[in-house]
Amino acid sequence: MFPRMLAATLVGALLSSFAFAQVTINEFVYDMGGSDNDEYIELYNAGATPVDLSNWVIDAEDAAFPNSNNTDITIPGGSSIPAGGYFLIANQLTTSPVLLAADLLFSGSIENSANSDSLILRDSGGAVMDAVAYETAAMDFVPNPEQIEGAGIRGEQRAFGYAQGSLVFQAFSRITDGYDTNNNGYDFRMALPTPGATNNPTFDIIQSSYLLDAEVLIHGLAAGDQMPNWYGSCEHPSVVDYATAGIPASPFDAVGAPTDPNTDLIAQLGCVATGDSIGGSFWVETLPNSSYTLECFVYFETAPTDFGAAEYWHLGFHGTAAYFFNLPSPIWTGAFSDLSDITGAGLSYVVDDTSATISLVDYGDGSIVNVLGSMPAPSGWTRVRMQATQNFIELRIGGTYGAQDGTLLSGALTGEGGFGGVYGGYRKVGNTGTGIGRGVSPLYIDSLVVSSPSFASDCHGQATDGTAGTPRLELTGLPILGNAAFGFATSGLLPSTSYFQLIGINTPGTGLDISAALPGAVPPGLTLWVPRNIFAGLSPSTNASGEGGTAVPLPSNPSLLGGQLWAQAMQQDVGLGFPLPISATKGLRFQLGNF
């Protein structure tokens, strides 16, 4: 029997697999326009020792890099940041007592240009310690590498509700203090501002299996009340009654349904304000996780909109949506007033004048749109079940609540972004004066449950490139006992050539650095993640595109529950020019679970 592993252990290991730079830009709010002056930058020291910040600089740049006229901020001599501590820099014109107590007050503003800006943290010698670019969806120039990490933050933040004028303040914050994959799109999320304090929420949505109906009872919620721990960019998610929503009762609330004690309240996620084009994002202020199970009933309004109009929403994991919430083409091919601002993966729903479509989409760091599958949307209340690990996601539409049935859409996730919370957004795009041609229907859900599954998966280390590119190893299904579709898919290898598929045990949970043991004999950085291969002899071949696959049907054996295995693919590539010319994927760890 394999040792039992808790999902929390995998989350901790995932955090440890990324480098935490000692001092990073941890959170910031920039110039929103209007009369506010509440801009700030928070630095965080993830190290075990204090750091002298004397003459460090926040180099504020835009398309004119390195000669932007944005306000640079020099930290004065004698300044330092403690181990595990913060250094807060704020606009001297702020009226916020918290910001007025900052470690440093500056004159000027944190710019919000028309085509993206960046903040570069430099030490006293000018070396780049960290960098973040924001509103990169509007970027119309090629940034200098010093200005940006990865795709940058694609969306924008606003201090005030764009439509209603109500105060809904947000910041761009690292997922947890100091979390750093060197890709801004994965590292930052829309969050409540916490200047000078931790980014880590106290609430964890999966710890006790979040149940919306129980939340209604525990907190004594009434129609119109905000859902605890849920927030929105222009309107907070709330509970409403069916009369307000103007929709029929869900299957759990229908006459004679015995299961739901809250027979008249459902959740509304999205803005219902009047206007031709309006929307926003929403999120749960929760500790991040790598694996989720979400199940609920969703109301799909499939009535067509007017020509040229549309209504769309998203519900997903591991990502964020910025203030306006915009889905990119090919999800909707109409014209956008703002550019896409979404990361992560999940269910995207679009209804326009011709069709109503459900899609499972991986948005990654915001620079991609990988549609993993699509289907026509059913009309009315429908059960939705979505499950994800760091590497794989599946969506089931219809079927029985609590069962592994329904129409299945699934696929592997790209990049390093499989870590975060629950989030989404809603937006309508209408015609001037006529709206979308019918009543609006934001995301209405009932009987929502969010929990931690017993299965999980994550990646470790770095791939060793070959002459054909960067090798990649993906799951073909969730590691659920009895899953006959489970296995591995590889890409980025030499075409029409055999490779080694390793599957086995790694008791220490660390990689063996072969390049350190055999310097000069193998490519630099080559690391073995499966020191004990229990499936010897797996040597499949790639196709003409350098892709391969290995089917590993999982038995329905309860004694394997919680077992942890590792996988890695390696290939001999003589073009590398080493005595032992080997390319390799990252290590992929997976924990066997049940439904």
Side-chain angles (χ1 to χ4, degrees):
M1 180 185 300
F2 298 120
R4 198 169 187 81
M5 287 289 293
L6 297 175
T9 304
L10 286 177
V11 171
L14 176 61
L15 281 170
S16 65
S17 68
F18 295 118
F20 282 68
Q22 183 153 352
V23 179
T24 57
I25 298 170
N26 202 48
E27 180 180 321
F28 66 99
V29 169
Y30 56 86
D31 183 17
M32 309 292 182
S35 59
D36 71 284
N37 292 293
D38 293 328
E39 303 114 55
Y40 68 86
I41 299 169
E42 175 192 273
L43 306 181
Y44 174 71
N45 180 5
T49 58
V51 174
D52 182 4
L53 298 180
S54 298
N55 298 313
W56 284 39
V57 175
I58 302 291
D59 178 8
E61 295 287 350
D62 56 19
F65 177 92
N67 300 310
S68 166
N69 61 2
N70 291 5
T71 302
D72 293 340
I73 304 168
T74 300
I75 300 176
S79 302
S80 65
I81 182 171
Y86 309 89
F87 189 91
L88 184 60
I89 304 168
N91 190 326
Q92 66 180 10
L93 298 180
T94 182
T95 58
S96 163
V98 173
L99 296 182
L100 285 172
D103 300 285
L104 174 64
L105 297 175
F106 72 94
S107 174
S109 63
I110 303 172
E111 295 297 329
N112 177 15
S113 303
N115 59 4
S116 183
D117 296 271
S118 58
L119 300 172
I120 306 169
L121 177 63
R122 299 182 184 273
D123 68 11
S124 58
V128 175
M129 297 290 100
D130 193 25
V132 57
Y134 49 96
E135 296 192 22
T136 59
M139 185 176 284
D140 59 2
F141 62 93
V142 178
N144 184 282
E146 292 189 350
Q147 291 180 263
I148 191 170
E149 292 183 352
I153 300 173
R154 292 184 59 82
E156 63 181 286
Q157 57 185 216
R158 289 289 178 103
F160 296 91
Y162 187 70
Q164 293 95 320
S166 58
L167 181 62
V168 185
F169 200 33
Q170 320 102 37
F172 281 133
S173 303
R174 289 191 183 271
I175 292 175
T176 58
D177 288 336
Y179 181 80
D180 192 8
T181 67
N182 292 319
N183 188 326
N184 302 151
Y186 291 140
D187 296 339
F188 285 85
R189 68 181 181 96
M190 183 81 80
L192 296 181
T194 58
T198 181
N199 291 359
N200 307 344
T202 57
F203 176 67
D204 189 347
I205 195 169
I206 70 169
Q207 277 304 300
S208 57
S209 294
Y210 180 91
L211 176 62
L212 174 62
D213 297 323
E215 291 285 300
V216 171
L217 293 174
I218 292 170
H219 296 282
L221 302 182
D225 288 346
Q226 179 183 343
M227 293 166 57
N229 300 302
W230 291 72
Y231 298 89
S233 61
C234 70
E235 184 173 310
H236 295 314
S238 60
V239 292
V240 298
D241 54 35
Y242 289 106
T244 300
I247 58 177
S250 79
F252 270 22
D253 288 344
V255 175
T259 49
D260 185 356
N262 309 305
T263 56
D264 63 345
L265 294 179
I266 55 175
Q268 173 188 298
L269 285 71
C271 227
V272 293
T274 58
D276 297 319
S277 182
I278 191 171
S281 61
F282 54 80
W283 68 91
V284 183
E285 275 291 311
T286 176
L287 286 170
N289 292 278
S290 59
S291 298
Y292 286 95
T293 293
L294 179 152
E295 189 164 18
C296 60
F297 281 99
V298 171
Y299 188 79
F300 291 96
E301 175 57 79
T302 58
T305 66
D306 280 351
F307 176 77
E311 188 174 48
Y312 54 85
W313 52 257
H314 176 83
L315 180 65
F317 309 130
H318 303 157
T320 194
Y323 186 90
F324 286 106
F325 178 69
N326 290 286
L327 289 179
S329 176
I331 297 302
W332 182 55
T333 57
F336 290 105
S337 59
D338 302 285
L339 298 173
S340 63
D341 57 17
I342 185 170
T343 65
L347 188 169
S348 291
Y349 177 61
V350 177
V351 56
D352 57 19
D353 62 304
T354 61
S355 62
T357 305
I358 292 170
S359 297
L360 181 63
V361 188
D362 178 14
Y363 296 101
D365 62 2
S367 64
I368 65 168
V369 182
N370 184 15
V371 180
L372 303 174
S374 295
M375 60 176 284
S379 183
W381 286 104
T382 302
R383 174 260 199 162
V384 168
R385 184 180 179 93
M386 189 159 51
Q387 298 178 283
T389 66
Q390 185 199 14
N391 316 98
F392 198 87
I393 188 169
E394 73 170 34
L395 170 67
R396 293 180 182 271
I397 302 295
T400 306
Y401 195 95
Q404 191 85 328
D405 58 7
T407 301
L408 175 65
L409 305 176
S410 64
L413 300 176
T414 59
E416 304 287 359
F419 188 62
V422 178
Y423 75 105
Y426 165 82
R427 189 171 180 83
K428 63 174 181 177
V429 180
N431 298 312
T432 303
T434 61
I436 63 174
R438 60 161 171 77
V440 299
S441 182
L443 174 55
Y444 290 118
I445 59 178
D446 188 32
S447 303
L448 171 68
V449 175
V450 183
S451 61
S452 173
S454 57
F455 54 83
S457 67
D458 52 28
C459 286
H460 291 259
Q462 298 297 322
T464 302
D465 287 354
T467 57
T470 301
R472 179 174 172 81
L473 182 66
E474 299 176 343
L475 298 180
T476 59
L478 292 174
I480 298 173
L481 293 176
N483 184 1
F486 185 77
F488 303 96
T490 55
S491 59
L493 298 175
L494 293 173
S496 306
T497 306
S498 63
Y499 64 96
F500 298 102
Q501 178 62 69
L502 306 177
I503 307 172
I505 299 173
N506 183 346
T507 302
T510 56
L512 175 61
D513 189 345
I514 300 176
S515 63
L518 301 172
V522 298
L526 180 65
T527 302
L528 177 65
W529 289 96
V530 189
R532 184 181 171 191
N533 185 25
I534 62 176
F535 288 87
L538 289 180
S539 184
S541 294
T542 58
N543 59 20
S545 299
E547 301 168 340
T550 304
V552 187
L554 297 177
S556 300
N557 184 346
S559 68
L560 299 177
L561 183 65
Q564 181 187 157
L565 292 172
W566 292 70
Q568 187 177 24
M570 290 185 166
Q571 187 177 53
Q572 181 176 335
D573 188 339
V574 295
L576 291 173
F578 290 87
L580 295 175
I582 300 173
S583 64
T585 67
K586 298 179 179 181
L588 193 159
R589 177 172 56 170
F590 58 99
Q591 179 173 299
L592 302 176
N594 54 23
F595 174 73

